[in-house]
Amino acid sequence: GISDPSIAGYQPRASLRELSEAFRTRWVHGLNTQSPWGFVHDMVSKDYDRFAPIPWFIGEYGGNGMPKAALQADLERMRDAAEEEGGFFAGAAMFQFQTTYWKGGGEMNFGLFGLGKRLLHKTGMLHDKFSPTPREWPVYCLDSHLDFLNGDVALRAHAVADAWGGSVPTGRSMCPHRRLSALPSTLLACRLSTHGGIGVDSVHARLGSGSFGSDLVRRTLSVIGADSTAIGGPLSVRVRSEAQAVGDSEDADIIVLGSDDGKASGALPWWIWTVIGASVGLFAVAGLAFAMFRVLGRRASARAAISRSQRNRVPKFESQSHV
């Protein structure tokens, strides 16, 4: 089109040479997409040499329906591609800052922030595109957890912040949330004791094998969920031995499941602790009720025994008649 604007029915005011130079030095190619980065990169890069050296960028990256880990990974790969020496990809802009409630439907999938229920302020008198009469508009807090989306698909703002070295804002403008990871960490560990006849070195070798560790990590991720907030990083299994003195001398192997940096795997979600607390509470109530029934039953048995004993002690009188 630039080499021959007439094919589009356009007559430039500048010369063709000036127009071509302006396009070469000032223009970029852009596109909008909801597709994963791997697909977009492959489709564009395979035929892009003919457009070089004009750079290209993604003006609206939707990341539609992507879990947090997948979205974050896509954004990190975009960052790496934009920083690649000699590449033509210039970067991307995330679509979009706030959910478009007025559109509804599938358009609700693209905001980084939703609106909460806490009213912060009201605007002055403003016109709206749907109403010719000016009015005041409410200003609500921003919510970084889009609760109308499933699972951690709702954590779009967190994915962007983690991928591009930012942070999700805090303060009065943000909606308050329960901290699901208030505990510093949770370490999964167990202790295995070895007794006479079983060498601790043999047990240590078996527990420390790669197959045992990978099976334990895979099973843990399948139960908790690989995208769960309880998983704070890559999991690994470490086995250490320590001597104990409990009666006779014995050794113990301790299996520790945690992240590779030596820290715990992350705090368990609050609902797990709620279930555990509820279960313990139910057991406690059931145990208390059972104990009360035992006490009441014993008291009733004692009263019945006393009553029988008292009846046996009452003297018997017989009526006799003499003729």
Side-chain angles (χ1 to χ4, degrees):
I2 296 299
S3 59
D4 185 9
S6 64
I7 62 174
Y10 176 69
Q11 179 64 40
R13 296 181 181 181
S15 67
L16 182 59
R17 183 186 63 81
E18 292 173 327
L19 181 63
S20 299
E21 180 64 14
F23 178 77
R24 187 185 67 83
T25 57
R26 296 170 55 189
W27 258 250
V28 295
H29 294 134
L31 58 90
N32 301 338
T33 182
Q34 303 177 23
S35 301
W37 165 249
F39 171 80
V40 175
H41 179 265
D42 292 344
M43 291 296 293
V44 174
S45 62
K46 67 180 182 180
D47 295 320
Y48 200 78
D49 287 344
R50 58 178 175 155
F51 299 109
I54 306 298
W56 69 282
F57 79 109
I58 299 176
E60 295 181 358
Y61 180 65
N64 190 8
M66 298 179 68
K68 178 182 180 296
L71 178 57
Q72 179 178 336
D74 258 17
L75 297 176
E76 290 172 347
R77 285 191 284 266
M78 289 182 194
R79 177 203 60 204
D80 295 341
E83 295 175 348
E84 182 180 342
E85 189 71 24
F88 301 117
F89 180 65
M94 190 67 196
F95 181 73
Q96 57 187 345
F97 181 79
Q98 182 188 305
T99 301
T100 53
Y101 289 90
W102 67 274
K103 289 184 178 180
E107 293 295 329
M108 296 280 286
N109 296 347
F110 299 110
L112 296 183
F113 298 97
L115 296 178
K117 297 181 180 180
R118 188 177 67 177
L119 180 65
L120 301 177
H121 200 62
K122 286 188 176 182
T123 67
M125 302 299 290
L126 298 176
H127 286 276
D128 177 70
K129 63 185 295 185
F130 299 109
S131 174
T133 305
R135 53 169 287 191
E136 290 183 336
W137 294 90
V139 178
Y140 294 103
C141 61
L142 291 177
D143 196 341
S144 62
H145 189 285
L146 308 177
D147 56 6
F148 45 82
L149 298 179
N150 295 325
D152 64 359
V153 175
L155 302 178
R156 290 169 59 84
H158 296 266
V160 176
D162 292 344
W164 289 346
S167 61
V168 176
T170 59
R172 185 172 178 271
S173 64
M174 301 300 296
C175 301
H177 270 286
R178 180 201 304 268
R179 291 182 61 85
L180 300 185
S181 299
L183 299 176
S185 62
T186 299
L187 192 66
L188 303 180
C190 67
R191 183 187 301 272
L192 300 178
S193 298
T194 60
H195 301 277
I198 302 178
V200 66
D201 293 337
S202 174
V203 176
H204 189 281
R206 288 176 179 268
L207 297 181
S209 67
S211 59
F212 174 81
S214 60
D215 288 345
L216 184 57
V217 169
R218 183 167 57 252
R219 179 59 178 166
T220 301
L221 293 176
S222 68
V223 172
I224 299 178
D227 297 329
S228 171
T229 55
I231 305 297
L235 295 181
S236 64
V237 175
R238 296 182 298 279
V239 181
R240 69 175 187 266
S241 298
E242 65 178 24
Q244 291 183 320
V246 182
D248 297 333
S249 176
E250 61 180 19
D251 293 327
D253 272 346
I254 298 179
I255 305 173
V256 178
L257 177 63
S259 57
D260 288 334
D261 58 5
K263 299 179 181 179
S265 59
L268 291 178
W270 64 271
W271 57 268
I272 294 182
W273 297 112
T274 301
V275 172
I276 294 174
S279 301
V280 172
L282 288 175
F283 280 120
V285 171
L288 180 60
F290 178 74
M292 291 178 64
F293 281 125
R294 290 284 301 272
V295 171
L296 293 176
R298 289 176 179 175
R299 289 181 178 177
S301 299
R303 286 196 298 268
I306 293 173
S307 177
R308 288 194 300 270
S309 177
Q310 289 176 345
R311 286 198 301 270
N312 291 335
R313 293 177 182 177
V314 175
K316 296 181 179 179
F317 296 94
E318 296 182 357
S319 175
Q320 297 181 352
S321 61
H322 300 275
V323 179

